[in-house]
Amino acid sequence: MASAASLLAIDQRIIELESTIADARLTKRWALAWISLGNILLIGAVIAGNVLIDFSKPGSGRFLLNAMGAIATLISIGLSVSLWREARSWEREQIVQLLQAQAERRSEQVATEPDSSASPPFQDYYRSIPDLRDEYRKGAEKYRGRHNLFQLTVIVGSILTSVSTTAAAEQGIWSWIAVGLSALVSVSAGIIAYFKFRERSLNLQQTADSIDLEVQAYRLRIRRYKDLPPEEASSVFAEEVERIREEQRKKELQLEQPPEAAPQQRSQPI
């Protein structure tokens, strides 16, 4: 029981490390976007100020504008590069700790196997299940993040499009901004509808949870594994996990089909 508790603690640590790595990668992406896009926009703002501002008026100085813009740009570049390097170092440290935790989990799994007399192929199969479960969970998080990104683009873009359309009545440049935002919203909505990130994330998360529940039931010898001989319990466990994986593959194939083909497939007799 102590080994099982230790294995659960290691699994919890792995989940926390994976979440920390995801946060570090997100920070690194934002820093990279700041380096490439944010600083370019800042330089563009300084150039636009030189073009659009009338420096012939009293109190306006081109030198002051350029000096402040240059200082702000240098500070921005320095901070963004520093943030990116710090996030990269943080990510590498967490990856090392994750690999160590995964090695500890593999060693602990030998002591927590319900039946050490099982065949070597089944023991290898049983030890690979946590990695398979984690792979499904990572896929679910990846698709969930993509769905949230494009959905947020649709929501914010729709609001900004309405505002730009209203402002276009006074200034012509806003009409072009409204057109660009409308195109961005349409493209984002089309990507969501075609790739179905939310459905993929939900299916992968359900599969990972089902595998996790099956592993716990097999360890505790409850539900379908209650009072079963060790050899039969091992066989039932492998069959159930493969059934869950097969259902996941079928769900993926259904998502790959065009919308008009789904009703036809459901209407066909099985």
Side-chain angles (χ1 to χ4, degrees):
M1 185 63 66
S3 297
S6 177
L7 184 59
L8 290 176
I10 293 174
D11 286 340
Q12 180 65 29
R13 184 152 58 96
I14 289 176
I15 293 174
E16 292 175 355
L17 287 171
E18 289 176 346
S19 177
T20 304
I21 291 173
D23 293 339
R25 288 174 177 171
L26 180 61
T27 303
K28 190 171 67 173
R29 293 191 189 102
W30 279 110
L32 186 61
W34 185 8
I35 293 173
S36 58
L37 183 60
N39 293 318
I40 292 175
L41 292 176
L42 186 58
I43 295 173
V46 175
I47 295 175
N50 282 272
V51 174
L52 299 177
I53 296 177
D54 185 6
F55 292 99
S56 62
K57 295 181 180 180
S60 59
R62 188 186 302 271
F63 175 77
L64 180 62
L65 172 66
N66 292 331
M68 293 179 60
I71 294 174
T73 302
L74 291 176
I75 294 176
S76 176
I77 293 175
L79 290 177
S80 57
V81 172
S82 176
L83 179 62
W84 179 81
R85 295 182 62 181
E86 183 178 352
R88 183 182 63 175
S89 176
W90 182 31
E91 178 190 5
R92 289 178 175 176
E93 292 176 359
Q94 299 302 314
I95 289 176
V96 171
Q97 295 183 22
L98 176 62
L99 294 176
Q100 293 175 350
Q102 290 175 343
E104 292 178 10
R105 182 174 64 181
R106 285 191 292 268
S107 62
E108 285 288 338
Q109 282 175 344
V110 178
T112 58
E113 288 177 0
D115 183 23
S116 59
S117 63
S119 62
F122 176 77
Q123 292 183 9
D124 294 338
Y125 178 80
Y126 180 78
R127 293 168 189 168
S128 68
I129 294 302
D131 293 333
L132 176 67
R133 175 199 59 196
D134 294 344
E135 183 180 350
Y136 284 132
R137 283 178 175 168
K138 290 178 182 177
E141 293 177 358
K142 178 183 70 174
Y143 287 122
R144 188 183 305 115
R146 292 180 181 178
H147 173 78
N148 292 337
L149 175 62
F150 285 106
Q151 190 65 42
L152 183 63
T153 301
V154 171
I155 295 173
V156 176
S158 299
I159 297 173
L160 294 179
T161 300
S162 300
V163 174
S164 301
T165 303
T166 303
E170 299 181 0
Q171 297 183 8
I173 190 174
W174 286 101
S175 61
W176 292 103
I177 296 177
V179 170
L181 291 173
S182 178
L184 180 62
V185 170
S186 300
V187 170
S188 299
I191 291 175
I192 292 175
Y194 181 80
F195 290 102
K196 303 174 183 177
F197 295 129
R198 182 176 181 275
E199 291 80 359
R200 295 177 189 273
S201 173
L202 182 61
N203 291 339
L204 288 170
Q205 186 62 51
Q206 289 176 345
T207 301
D209 293 341
S210 298
I211 292 177
D212 196 25
L213 291 174
E214 206 63 34
V215 170
Q216 295 300 327
Y218 179 64
R219 288 176 180 171
L220 300 175
R221 284 294 195 268
I222 58 176
R223 296 192 303 184
R224 71 180 85 249
Y225 307 103
K226 189 176 182 180
D227 301 329
L228 287 181
E231 183 177 355
E232 185 177 354
S234 300
S235 177
V236 171
F237 173 77
E239 290 178 357
E240 186 63 21
V241 172
E242 290 303 310
R243 183 191 65 80
I244 295 173
R245 295 180 63 186
E246 182 63 25
E247 287 184 354
Q248 171 60 29
R249 285 191 288 268
K250 291 180 180 178
K251 292 177 182 178
E252 291 178 355
L253 291 176
Q254 290 177 355
L255 290 176
E256 295 295 336
Q257 294 178 352
E260 61 273 8
Q264 296 177 3
Q265 183 181 15
R266 289 195 295 265
S267 63
Q268 292 178 356
I270 300 175

